[in-house]
């Protein structure tokens, strides 16, 4: 198993009865490795503040993630600056045991993301990296994207018309 680029293991025995605060930040090498992993041009900043507390099922983590990064426009490749400021809620649960499918965890609709862990630590860095990645626009487009697509002959959704073979289908169905 490979280790995550931004690993911040936090021992479970360091989480007391109350709430504890943990701050993490990715260094230059970690940000460069995460940029490669997520297909980003650069990550200039990646930080998270966690408020951790134990509960009967595992560990509840609430906090805030801050990131500044540069994505590439999917059409032109132009650099697009992006900023992520995201509050999060993550529940860390022990890995389910093989064959022990009797212990089910019920999550209500207002519940949070779930991350499973094995052993006596949770990885706050990997959880932050995944939270950042989920907040990114998967198909970022820059200001020149529409012009470049139009020049290449790609129609916008507004300009697209039904395929001729299907154009009369609505009328045929209305007659029946």
């Amino acid at each position: 198993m490979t280790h995550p680029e931004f690993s911040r293991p936090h021992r479970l025995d360091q989480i007391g009865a109350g709430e504890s605060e943990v701050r993490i930040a990715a260094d230059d090498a970690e940000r460069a490795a995460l940029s490669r992993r997520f297909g980003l041009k650069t990550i200039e900043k990646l930080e998270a503040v966690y408020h951790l507390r134990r509960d009967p099922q595992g560990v509840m983590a609430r906090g805030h993630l801050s990131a500044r990064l540069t994505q590439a426009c999917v059409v032109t490749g132009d650099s697009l600056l992006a900023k992520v400021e995201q509050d999060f809620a993550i529940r860390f649960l022990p890995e389910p045991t093989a064959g022990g499918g009797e212990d089910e965890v019920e999550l209500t609709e207002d519940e949070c993301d779930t991350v499973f862990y094995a052993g006596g630590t949770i990885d706050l860095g990997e959880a932050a990296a995944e939270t950042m990645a989920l907040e990114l626009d998967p198909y970022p487009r820059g200001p020149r994207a529409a012009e470049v697509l139009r020049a290449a002959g790609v129609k916008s959704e507004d300009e697209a018309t039904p395929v001729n073979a299907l154009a009369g289908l609505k009328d045929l169905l209305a007659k029946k």
Side-chain angles (χ1 to χ4, degrees), residues 55-58 91-96 100-108 111-116:
D55 67 19
Q57 294 179 335
R91 182 176 304 280
F92 291 92
L93 298 173
E95 281 278 344
E102 295 147 23
D103 292 342
E104 290 187 18
V105 177
E106 286 192 36
L107 300 177
T108 62
E111 283 291 340
C112 49
D113 293 331
T114 301
V115 174
F116 293 102

Side-chain angles (χ1 to χ4, degrees), residues 73-76 78 140-156 159:
C73 171
V74 294
V75 176
T76 64
D78 292 347
R141 288 191 178 193
R144 296 185 325 113
E147 170 189 334
V148 170
L149 288 170
R150 199 170 22 263
V154 177
K155 292 182 178 182
S156 71
E159 298 169 326

